[in-house]
Amino acid sequence: ETGVTQTPRHLVMGMTNKKSLKCEQHLGHNAMYWYKQSAKKPLELMFVYSLEERVENNSVPSRFSPECPNSSHLFLHLHTLQPEDSALYLCASSQGTGTLETQYFGPGTRLLVL
Amino acid sequence: ELKVEQNPLFLSMQEGKNYTIYCNYSTTSDRLYWYRQDPGKSLESLFVLLSNGAVKQEGRLMASLDTKARLSTLHITAAVHDLSATYFCAVDKRASGSRLTFGEGTQLTVNP
């Protein structure tokens, strides 16, 4: 595998379910991100991890819980979601200490909450 | 709060034509990015612009940055169908550790 991978690619869940999204980066980066992309809205930054520590939480509801066990893996744990949480969830990584901190994105997980 | 606005949001053009997408942002920024997203696919980095007057070109796409006007442009020359995609600009105002604020995206359709 190369670049940034995400699983699953598609997920349908009920409002009472618990599920997790997984992201893995194979680029040797030390920063990872979760974004939400809703229809007709700009990408919204949700969480930022740098060197496995959460450095930013952009007022995201507690029903979204991130976890970064190491610099290559990032999870987003989901529980008791609402239909308005249906969106494309994108993971990205970057080399946080570099001068050109381009973020490399994964393919996303398309989430539908019923 | 940093705001990033793109226009147009939708652009339909014919092959062979030229057009420009505009990206305005509201506060001083360290750097500006352009990304491309194909339907059902992830975002692909196109350009990183780091200073006032920066210009970068790749194929039929050319991006420029005017930090005084807080404006970036993405110019398309002699469009081809393969350029059909959604184009996002994103602004990063942090000196270390990217914190990107994205525009809404411009959905470009190039018709034969």
Side-chain angles (χ1 to χ4, degrees):
Chain A
E1 292 280 8
T2 58
V4 182
T5 58
Q6 289 185 242
T7 54
R9 295 293 308 277
H10 301 273
L11 178 62
V12 180
M13 58 187 289
M15 289 191 285
T16 58
N17 292 157
K18 291 184 181 181
K19 297 286 184 183
S20 296
L21 310 184
K22 179 183 175 182
C23 175
E24 185 172 0
Q25 59 95 2
H26 308 267
L27 300 168
H29 290 164
N30 58 22
M32 297 186 76
Y33 312 78
W34 279 117
Y35 286 89
K36 176 182 179 182
Q37 187 177 28
S38 305
K40 301 181 180 178
K41 291 179 69 176
L43 272 78
E44 301 170 64
L45 179 63
M46 299 174 71
F47 300 104
V48 181
Y49 276 82
S50 178
L51 297 172
E52 301 157 40
E53 292 206 10
R54 190 190 312 180
V55 296
E56 191 145 332
N57 173 349
N58 274 359
S59 304
V60 179
S62 59
R63 57 186 184 267
F64 295 91
S65 175
E67 177 190 2
C68 188
N70 55 62
S71 60
S72 299
H73 293 86
L74 184 66
F75 293 90
L76 187 63
H77 304 299
L78 316 171
H79 65 97
T80 58
L81 294 192
Q82 304 298 311
E84 60 264 28
D85 297 322
S86 298
L88 180 68
Y89 289 85
L90 291 166
C91 171
S93 70
S94 68
Q95 186 57 38
T97 57
T99 55
L100 289 176
E101 294 161 5
T102 299
Q103 292 183 21
Y104 294 84
F105 285 80
T109 295
R110 176 74 62 185
L111 173 66
L112 177 62
V113 182
L114 301 175
Chain B
E1 180 188 350
L2 173 59
K3 293 187 178 179
V4 181
E5 294 183 346
Q6 286 181 237
N7 74 84
L9 298 183
F10 298 93
L11 175 56
S12 180
M13 56 191 297
Q14 287 195 312
E15 282 190 328
K17 299 292 186 182
N18 304 333
Y19 209 85
T20 300
I21 299 171
Y22 298 89
C23 174
N24 289 88
Y25 53 97
S26 59
T27 62
T28 304
S29 170
D30 292 331
R31 67 203 82 182
L32 187 140
Y33 300 78
W34 283 97
Y35 284 88
R36 167 181 172 149
Q37 186 178 36
D38 291 288
K41 301 284 183 68
S42 185
L43 278 76
E44 173 192 353
S45 177
L46 295 175
F47 301 108
V48 182
L49 303 168
L50 298 177
S51 60
N52 188 40
V55 177
K56 290 196 173 179
Q57 182 163 5
E58 180 74 33
R60 301 175 188 273
L61 301 178
M62 184 174 70
S64 65
L65 179 62
D66 181 343
T67 57
K68 293 181 181 178
R70 299 175 184 167
L71 170 69
S72 180
T73 61
L74 181 65
H75 187 73
I76 304 156
T77 302
V80 293
H81 181 68
D82 286 351
L83 290 180
S84 298
T86 300
Y87 293 85
F88 293 91
C89 66
V91 175
D92 180 3
K93 62 175 181 176
R94 298 281 287 264
S96 62
S98 297
R99 304 292 187 271
L100 296 182
T101 299
F102 281 80
E104 293 181 60
T106 297
Q107 186 176 320
L108 171 66
T109 303
V110 181
N111 303 304

